[in-house]
Amino acid sequence: MRPEDLVVLKLGGSAITFKDRPLEADETTIKRLAGEIAASGVCKLIIVHGGGSFGHPLAHRYGIHEGLKGNWQLRGLAETHLAMEELNRLVVGALAAEGLPAVPLPPISCFTTRRGRISKAFLEPLRALLALGAVPVLYGDVVLDEAQGFAILSGDQITAYLALTLGASRVVLALCVDGVFTKDPLKHPDARLVERLRPEDLSALEAGGSAALDVTGGMGEKLREMAPVASAGVPVLLVNARVPGNVLKALRGEKVRGTLFLA
Amino acid sequence: MRPEDLVVLKLGGSAITFKDRPLEADETTIKRLAGEIAASGVCKLIIVHGGGSFGHPLAHRYGIHEGLKGNWQLRGLAETHLAMEELNRLVVGALAAEGLPAVPLPPISCFTTRRGRISKAFLEPLRALLALGAVPVLYGDVVLDEAQGFAILSGDQITAYLALTLGASRVVLALCVDGVFTKDPLKHPDARLVERLRPEDLSALEAGGSAALDVTGGMGEKLREMAPVASAGVPVLLVNARVPGNVLKALRGEKVRGTLFLA
């Protein structure tokens, strides 16, 4: 891997928070991941993290994902963003403690959407930070939407957008599962990890085909978001961040258990 | 004052922090000011705050204001920004506690400069937040600079820029002094408050003229930054935020002790 190669690392919300405990971060995992990121030696890195138990409960309580319905949601917009900022502070703090010059770039201030899809992006600060050697940190956030007032912009959409726009060499998705399975592994003991996945496998499945893939939960949406990246020839590696050393290996480009999504 | 009239309120760093105590905010004053802002009933409001004892010591330690000299400053860039974010969180938290939908927009993510002057600005989120009735909160920050790597973008420059670009009806500068004096009031008991100041008075002074004005400390820089606003016919009112009720009156457009800077 060359020093000029850009890597986009997505830290899944479910990997860094306790899904069933609102506003509770898994600080032990965050600290360990920060250590792995610092040890990886990747020079040009963007980190994007999800919201997990910070963003989702508030966004749902106020119907933020449905766009503007009434003024009572304004407070929800502010609260949802502040909750995401709180999680972001823990992530950035852990990175800083490892000596990484991490700089948060809140998506609410540098992206707008149109019906939930990115319509405008102000990437000058991000590009300049990367050129200096700093580590921009973004996250799933509530953003202003040209058509519906506001919307939830997922960390996955940001990850795919940045990887394509900035020409990333690799994307690493750090999740709380090993990758994509043939069946739901929680229900089927014979479920197998899919080590190599192509965008065509996903299209076949969507067309009602017989591809043996478990895309329940958020996995289907995640793969659809990443499909243009994989199709563009940028490897997207899904690994389990709960297993120590996985993110380190994935960042270094070493062999690691997971799913490689690539055309 | 009409509901569609935009007011830009600058909370001086020296009014909301203890200048002589690094990283210590004056939380009592911040809470009181949040109460006055909420009570003012201004519908369309942008708040910009200074750094005071949060931004300045770190920025100086790392020479952030001098631009990029070496990689050792990268950590300083990140630390300076995080310190400013910390102060911002206290301000936004106090506003939220008063029921105001305050949303932070960190300048590092939506402005770039060229030799310390704003060169690019991404104002879509700010405009959209105002249209929804939310209160954008910005602050003096370290930003990326096209010519020198990075720079300090002062809250005053942001205030003047937004007031002119968005067509504010009024600017209120909440300081820790009553306004502009004829002489330094700490040294001269006969110093008089200048209640009405014109941009010409400032130009006369700079041309070596005899205008009786004390522009020591940061006051001269502040007035030079605000001169284009005052010249454009937008009233800039300087008031002492340490006096309870002053910011409330200034926001409501009521009579208050201070300096009115206007062409």
Side-chain angles (χ1 to χ4, degrees):
Chain A
M1 198 181 151
R2 298 162 307 169
E4 66 269 31
D5 284 347
L6 172 67
V7 179
V8 184
L9 169 65
K10 163 82 198 297
L11 300 176
S14 55
I16 58 169
T17 69
F18 296 106
K19 269 270 179 194
D20 46 351
R21 304 185 217 162
L23 301 176
E24 200 171 325
D26 182 349
E27 297 199 51
T28 308
T29 298
I30 292 174
K31 281 197 181 75
R32 177 178 52 74
L33 290 175
E36 295 188 25
I37 292 163
S40 76
V42 171
C43 301
K44 219 173 154 188
L45 178 68
I46 297 173
I47 298 174
V48 183
H49 64 80
S53 68
F54 279 74
H56 299 186
L58 279 165
H60 272 266
R61 187 192 307 162
Y62 289 101
I64 298 297
H65 54 294
E66 294 165 5
L68 180 66
K69 306 281 172 197
N71 274 343
W72 52 272
Q73 288 173 301
L74 261 193
R75 197 168 174 158
L77 180 152
E79 276 182 32
T80 304
H81 174 68
L82 292 185
M84 284 305 306
E85 250 198 359
E86 201 181 318
L87 176 58
N88 177 254
R89 204 166 60 250
L90 296 174
V91 174
V92 169
L95 293 166
E98 294 288 339
L100 289 169
V103 177
L105 294 178
I108 194 173
S109 61
C110 50
F111 288 98
T112 56
T113 54
R114 182 158 195 90
R115 298 194 199 290
R117 305 302 301 176
I118 293 170
S119 56
K120 290 197 186 81
F122 186 62
L123 299 183
E124 276 82 351
L126 191 149
R127 289 181 199 270
L129 285 171
L130 283 177
L132 285 174
V135 181
V137 184
L138 298 92
Y139 46 89
D141 199 3
V142 49
V143 296
L144 286 308
D145 188 284
E146 291 165 22
Q148 63 190 46
F150 37 75
I152 295 293
L153 174 57
S154 74
D156 288 333
Q157 189 183 155
I158 295 172
T159 299
Y161 181 89
L162 293 179
L164 285 174
T165 308
L166 302 176
S169 69
R170 232 139 32 86
V171 171
V172 175
L173 302 184
L175 313 172
C176 63
V177 292
D178 289 352
V180 183
F181 283 83
T182 51
K183 301 173 184 176
D184 183 344
L186 293 180
K187 291 183 193 156
H188 304 274
D190 63 332
R192 250 184 339 99
L193 179 70
V194 179
E195 294 189 349
R196 189 70 168 74
L197 185 71
R198 285 169 188 78
E200 307 86 88
D201 303 331
L202 201 64
S203 326
L205 186 73
E206 307 230 310
S210 60
L213 288 180
D214 171 45
V215 291
T216 51
M219 187 56 89
E221 205 177 320
K222 193 177 291 293
L223 293 176
R224 274 190 295 278
E225 204 67 82
M226 294 302 153
V229 182
S231 296
V234 181
V236 178
L237 185 59
L238 290 74
V239 296
N240 193 338
R242 298 252 173 227
V243 179
N246 269 2
V247 168
L248 174 64
K249 287 180 204 156
L251 287 176
R252 282 186 175 163
E254 294 172 6
K255 198 170 162 50
V256 56
R257 179 177 164 83
T259 297
L260 175 64
F261 187 31
L262 182 61
Chain B
M1 196 179 153
R2 299 162 306 169
E4 67 269 30
D5 285 346
L6 172 67
V7 179
V8 184
L9 170 65
K10 163 81 197 296
L11 301 176
S14 53
I16 60 171
T17 69
F18 296 107
K19 270 271 181 194
D20 47 352
R21 302 186 218 162
L23 300 175
E24 200 171 324
D26 183 348
E27 296 198 53
T28 309
T29 298
I30 292 174
K31 283 198 179 74
R32 177 177 53 75
L33 290 174
E36 294 188 27
I37 293 164
S40 75
V42 171
C43 300
K44 219 173 154 187
L45 178 70
I46 298 172
I47 297 174
V48 182
H49 65 80
S53 69
F54 278 73
H56 298 186
L58 279 166
H60 273 266
R61 186 192 309 162
Y62 289 101
I64 298 298
H65 54 294
E66 295 165 6
L68 180 66
K69 306 280 173 196
N71 274 342
W72 50 272
Q73 288 173 304
L74 260 193
R75 197 170 175 155
L77 179 153
E79 276 182 32
T80 304
H81 174 68
L82 293 184
M84 284 305 306
E85 251 197 358
E86 202 181 318
L87 176 58
N88 177 255
R89 204 166 60 250
L90 296 174
V91 174
V92 169
L95 293 166
E98 294 289 338
L100 289 169
V103 177
L105 294 178
I108 195 172
S109 60
C110 50
F111 288 99
T112 56
T113 54
R114 181 158 195 91
R115 300 195 197 287
R117 305 302 302 176
I118 293 170
S119 55
K120 292 199 185 79
F122 185 62
L123 298 183
E124 276 83 350
L126 190 148
R127 288 180 200 270
L129 285 170
L130 283 177
L132 285 173
V135 181
V137 184
L138 298 93
Y139 47 88
D141 198 3
V142 48
V143 296
L144 286 309
D145 188 285
E146 292 165 21
Q148 62 189 46
F150 37 74
I152 295 293
L153 174 57
S154 74
D156 288 332
Q157 188 182 156
I158 294 172
T159 299
Y161 181 88
L162 293 179
L164 284 174
T165 308
L166 303 176
S169 69
R170 235 142 29 88
V171 171
V172 175
L173 302 185
L175 313 172
C176 63
V177 292
D178 288 352
V180 183
F181 284 84
T182 50
K183 301 174 185 175
D184 183 344
L186 294 180
K187 292 184 194 153
H188 304 276
D190 62 334
R192 249 183 340 99
L193 180 71
V194 179
E195 294 190 351
R196 189 72 167 76
L197 185 70
R198 285 167 189 80
E200 307 86 88
D201 304 330
L202 202 64
S203 324
L205 187 73
E206 307 231 309
S210 61
L213 287 180
D214 171 45
V215 290
T216 52
M219 187 56 90
E221 205 177 321
K222 195 177 290 295
L223 292 176
R224 274 190 294 278
E225 204 67 81
M226 294 301 153
V229 183
S231 296
V234 181
V236 178
L237 186 59
L238 289 73
V239 296
N240 193 338
R242 297 249 173 229
V243 179
N246 268 3
V247 167
L248 174 64
K249 287 181 204 155
L251 287 176
R252 281 186 175 161
E254 293 172 8
K255 197 171 161 49
V256 55
R257 178 176 166 83
T259 297
L260 176 64
F261 186 31
L262 182 62

